[in-house]
Amino acid sequence: MVFPIEFLWLFLAAMVISSIGFKNYVWFISLGYGFSIAGEGLLMLILYGQSLSIGTILCCALFIIYGLRLGGYLAIREFKSSSYKKNMTGEIKEGSTVPFGVKIAIWVTCALLYVTQVSGVFYRLVNNAGTNVWTYVGAAIMAVGLALETAADIQKNNAKKINPKRFVDTGLYRIVRCPNYLGEMIFWTGVLISGIGAVCGWQWIIVAIGYIGIIFVMFSGARRLEIRQDKNYGNDPEYQKYVTTVPILLPLIPLYSVKKHKWLVA
């Protein structure tokens, strides 16, 4: 198993960008995540400029748009939303209490995950596989996931402006309770599919690690959100009806709760 030098460059880029987590512990997996994906998309365009095809340009561009949108959204929430900071008090471990060695381990692990996540497109470029129908299918699914995640964030913000003390159960939140996480999973499913016909042999192991890793993170995030919302709205009869009738993450699949699954802690 040999990794091309470009894989190292992507890893180093993710390391540099996500190093902002040393300023604020949670940024390793929030701002560092979004902007790392955008940086990797841009770097792939630079590294493979001579061998890019329409499909790979489209996928890399979607990485950039995805990462900038997510990073920008999280930055605005982090720096301008007092209600978010209030709700998250006690939810996230203070960075000052986390040993430096643990921070290093998280930093490196996150950077590796971010590289493996984009590897479906990366190996298409490495293998000089050009564009096939799966590239366009994957890109289309990525675009759908990005649109869904964006719409969910907008709908939640608008609902909270109207009634900041009420849980959100309108729009996409009538379908699943975490439509933004669903959009995220759809986006990365598109990346996985985009590699069909280009990724070879053991390379699928790297692609699978990235895909399984981000799916795990999304379910873990849904669990944390469920626990927090139970704490905030658990005594509301309307909320109780909502959580027992609307799936938490996957539409049409009657999975209504994941809070008891402690193995989802991330």
Side-chain angles (χ1 to χ4, degrees):
M1 184 181 295
V2 180
F3 294 100
I5 188 65
E6 291 85 357
F7 189 92
L8 177 60
W9 285 116
L10 290 180
F11 173 65
L12 291 176
M15 288 278 284
V16 171
I17 296 171
S18 62
S19 66
I20 60 175
F22 288 104
K23 174 69 174 178
N24 187 326
Y25 173 71
V26 74
W27 291 355
F28 282 125
I29 56 174
S30 60
L31 303 183
Y33 169 50
F35 291 129
S36 288
I37 298 302
E40 289 171 339
L42 177 61
L43 185 55
M44 283 190 286
L45 289 177
I46 295 171
L47 291 173
Y48 292 96
Q50 299 300 317
S51 58
L52 290 168
S53 61
I54 294 176
T56 51
I57 291 173
L58 183 58
C59 289
C60 289
L62 285 167
F63 283 141
I64 296 171
I65 296 170
Y66 164 89
L68 292 179
R69 188 214 73 86
L70 179 60
Y73 171 78
L74 294 175
I76 292 172
R77 188 178 69 176
E78 182 76 25
F79 297 116
K80 293 189 176 182
S81 176
S82 57
S83 61
Y84 171 76
K85 292 180 180 179
K86 180 179 179 181
N87 289 334
M88 295 306 293
T89 301
E91 286 287 324
I92 299 175
K93 186 182 295 185
E94 288 293 332
S96 59
T97 67
V98 179
F100 185 73
V102 174
K103 289 183 179 180
I104 292 291
I106 293 173
W107 178 39
V108 174
T109 301
C110 286
L112 282 172
L113 175 61
Y114 304 156
V115 177
T116 59
Q117 284 179 241
V118 303
S119 60
V121 175
F122 171 70
Y123 281 121
R124 178 172 289 279
L125 292 167
V126 169
N127 297 334
N128 198 25
T131 294
N132 62 11
V133 65
W134 292 111
T135 319
Y136 292 119
V137 171
I141 294 172
M142 290 168 67
V144 169
L146 176 59
L148 178 62
E149 186 175 4
T150 302
D153 287 338
I154 292 173
Q155 289 178 0
K156 185 172 184 177
N157 283 341
N158 290 340
K160 286 295 184 180
K161 288 178 182 178
I162 297 173
N163 191 347
K165 295 184 178 181
R166 190 181 191 281
F167 63 94
V168 180
D169 62 346
T170 55
L172 293 169
Y173 291 82
R174 294 178 179 177
I175 302 173
V176 290
R177 305 205 310 273
C178 300
N180 50 341
Y181 293 164
L182 174 61
E184 183 100 6
M185 292 194 300
I186 291 173
F187 181 90
W188 293 109
T189 299
V191 177
L192 178 73
I193 290 173
S194 74
I196 297 175
V199 181
C200 303
W202 60 263
Q203 294 173 352
W204 276 113
I205 297 175
I206 306 301
V207 176
I209 288 172
Y211 182 70
I212 294 171
I214 192 59
I215 296 300
F216 175 84
V217 170
M218 290 301 102
F219 272 90
S220 177
R223 179 180 181 271
R224 289 196 303 271
L225 179 62
E226 181 183 4
I227 292 172
R228 185 166 70 249
Q229 289 187 333
D230 282 356
K231 179 180 178 182
N232 293 335
Y233 312 116
N235 295 326
D236 186 339
E238 291 187 5
Y239 173 76
Q240 291 299 330
K241 180 180 179 180
Y242 176 61
V243 299
T244 56
T245 56
V246 177
I248 188 167
L249 195 54
L250 303 173
L252 306 178
I253 296 178
L255 177 64
Y256 299 106
S257 175
V258 292
K259 63 183 178 182
K260 293 182 180 180
H261 300 305
K262 295 183 179 181
W263 57 273
L264 286 172
V265 175

